[in-house]
Amino acid sequence: MSAILASFDLARGVVALVIAVALFGVVRTETNPAETSTLEISVNLRNVPSGLFPEPGPRTPTVRARVSAPRDIVSGLQPSDFHASVDLSGARVGADDFPVTVDSSAPQIRVIEVLPARIPVRLEGTAQKSAAVRVNRTGNVPPGYDAGPTVVDPQEVQVVGPSSIVALVASMGVDLKMDGVTVNVDATSAPTPLDAQGKAVTGAQQLKITPETVHVQVAVTQQLSYKTVAIQASVGGTPQSGFAIQGITVEPPVATLAGAPTALSGVDFAASEHIDVSDANGTLARQVAILVPPGVFVVQQDLVRVTVRIGPLDIAQTVTTAVTADNLPDGARLAGKIPLVQITLDGPAPAFRLLNFGDVKARVDLSGLGPGTHSMPVQVSAPGDFSIVSVIPDLVTVMLEAPAQPGPTSAPSEESIVQS
């Protein structure tokens, strides 16, 4: 009896639970009623048979799905909340209409209608072809360098994929920029499928390319070397007598040369065009060319200004002259002669040809001296073009004596008469 009562109580409990759930659903439906919304959803093609490809179109196929969901959910629905697909299992080459399935992982959402319910899909087979690799070189190597022919390995690649896309492939392109390149190019690049107009093929991502990369080589050689060297002025001839070259300047003093490395390796300087200074007696300035050996050239300015400074030649000459006694004291007289002196002059050679040696003066000043022997410095003067190098001797001995006093008158002796 107790078992029967227990079973009856359990049944009543289940009925009560069902009624409670139903009442909760009714209350919830009244407070949060279902609403509908329409969304555009992209269709995914799945289970494509091996060897077949959906024919590419201008855009991914889409359908419009009308769905129902509680009010608090429907306002936030996004196309990404749904999955639309077409199952292509068993499909063949050609066009056909396939049903579209739209579902959602949320149980509160119900798909009411899909428009269109079926979409056309065209499948195409696989094609393959060999396509030549074309290297598009742009830009130039710097001056003085040369780029050889392009070597690509392999010269052809295999292209496999949808027949409509493979048919568009006319060649495989590789871009190679040569601007500023001074070393050999040795690169690995992935070629790009190109159509007959040289443009990238649309849908090329569906193609399989074998091999995926090619090896590109270009030999870059240096045709010219550069070297900066000093410019040596080439000057010949003899200036006018008495004149000499006092200095040579070159402006600019250096030049940048270019040429084949072998031709330039032995060049240590550049000479100017020859300048003749024969019989010149003044500074010469000439604009002349820079001379370089065969196979070498001057990069920029190939003229230089050479200035040859020519001036009088300074020489030294010795003059022997007498010394003049100045300011002899009253009541004194010289006893003997003052020695001659040798005066060495330095000056321009042309000035010596015009020099009057009488213009070179040597003197001693006897002011304030009394009788006796005196060692006196020699004072020398010369014309302004000359400088005094030395005076030998520079001290001379001067003897002064008082005048003789008159004595008593006497008859001349016989001996004095005879001498006179």
Side-chain angles (χ1 to χ4, degrees):
M1 184 64 179
S2 59
I4 295 174
L5 291 175
S7 298
F8 180 73
D9 291 339
L10 177 61
R12 284 195 304 171
V14 171
V15 171
L17 178 61
V18 171
I19 293 172
V21 170
L23 289 174
F24 176 79
V26 171
V27 172
R28 180 170 178 81
T29 301
E30 291 180 354
T31 58
N32 187 24
E35 294 184 356
T36 61
S37 178
T38 301
L39 300 95
E40 186 170 0
I41 304 170
S42 298
V43 179
N44 177 47
L45 305 180
R46 57 188 179 89
N47 298 325
V48 179
S50 177
L52 298 182
F53 300 91
E55 187 176 79
R59 57 191 296 268
T60 302
T62 62
V63 293
R64 295 176 63 83
R66 189 161 68 90
V67 299
S68 173
R71 178 187 298 170
D72 60 354
I73 295 177
V74 74
S75 60
L77 291 178
Q78 300 292 331
S80 58
D81 296 326
F82 298 88
H83 180 261
S85 64
V86 169
D87 186 359
L88 297 178
S89 300
R92 298 181 179 182
V93 174
D96 202 351
D97 290 342
F98 295 88
V100 180
T101 301
V102 179
D103 53 33
S104 172
S105 58
Q108 304 96 320
I109 302 174
R110 184 167 60 92
V111 178
I112 301 173
E113 185 180 20
V114 177
L115 295 174
R118 302 175 68 89
I119 63 171
V121 177
R122 178 181 291 277
L123 296 177
E124 58 181 315
T126 302
Q128 69 175 26
K129 71 187 312 183
S130 295
V133 179
R134 309 294 184 192
V135 179
N136 177 33
R137 275 173 41 169
T138 58
N140 298 298
V141 295
Y145 290 84
D146 179 67
T150 303
V151 178
V152 60
D153 182 36
Q155 298 181 359
E156 290 186 346
V157 296
Q158 293 296 315
V159 180
V160 179
S163 57
S164 63
I165 300 178
V166 171
L168 296 175
V169 178
S171 63
M172 302 296 293
V174 174
D175 290 332
L176 182 61
K177 295 181 179 180
M178 298 298 294
D179 283 322
V181 176
T182 59
V183 296
N184 292 338
V185 175
D186 192 343
T188 300
S189 300
T192 301
L194 303 176
D195 62 18
Q197 285 71 43
K199 297 181 180 179
V201 172
T202 302
Q205 68 275 8
Q206 299 185 61
L207 299 176
K208 181 180 180 181
I209 299 169
T210 307
E212 295 181 351
T213 60
V214 295
H215 191 203
V216 179
Q217 292 179 305
V218 178
V220 178
T221 56
Q222 186 176 7
Q223 301 299 302
L224 297 177
S225 292
Y226 296 87
K227 181 185 286 187
T228 299
V229 298
I231 302 174
Q232 293 187 3
S234 176
V235 178
T238 303
Q240 191 178 102
S241 178
F243 290 83
I245 296 175
Q246 297 177 340
I248 300 174
T249 57
V250 180
E251 183 61 37
V254 297
T256 299
L257 308 182
T262 54
L264 200 59
S265 61
V267 179
D268 297 320
F269 67 91
S272 76
E273 190 176 0
H274 185 72
I275 298 175
D276 187 5
V277 297
S278 297
D279 291 328
N281 58 8
T283 296
L284 298 178
R286 299 284 188 271
Q287 184 165 294
V288 293
I290 301 172
L291 304 180
V292 292
V296 177
F297 63 90
V298 183
V299 173
Q300 295 178 336
Q301 177 65 35
D302 59 355
L303 296 177
V304 293
R305 185 174 182 82
V306 178
T307 301
V308 183
R309 299 193 311 278
I310 297 175
L313 178 66
D314 281 353
I315 62 174
Q317 188 167 341
T318 300
V319 177
T320 301
T321 186
V323 179
T324 301
D326 290 344
N327 302 317
L328 183 65
D330 293 339
R333 65 185 182 88
L334 290 172
K337 294 182 179 180
I338 301 176
L340 300 177
V341 295
Q342 291 183 333
I343 303 171
T344 301
L345 304 176
D346 180 83
F352 273 106
R353 292 198 296 266
L354 303 176
L355 176 65
N356 182 353
F357 290 104
D359 294 333
V360 181
K361 306 291 186 181
R363 56 185 290 272
V364 291
D365 187 359
L366 304 181
S367 299
L369 298 180
T373 300
H374 305 278
S375 181
M376 301 299 298
V378 180
Q379 301 175 13
V380 177
S381 63
D385 290 337
F386 302 95
S387 59
I388 309 300
V389 177
S390 65
V391 180
I392 302 175
D394 58 349
L395 295 174
V396 294
T397 300
V398 178
M399 294 182 293
L400 297 181
E401 60 182 18
Q405 298 295 326
T409 302
S410 59
S413 64
E414 182 179 351
E415 181 178 357
S416 63
I417 294 174
V418 172
Q419 290 178 351
S420 62

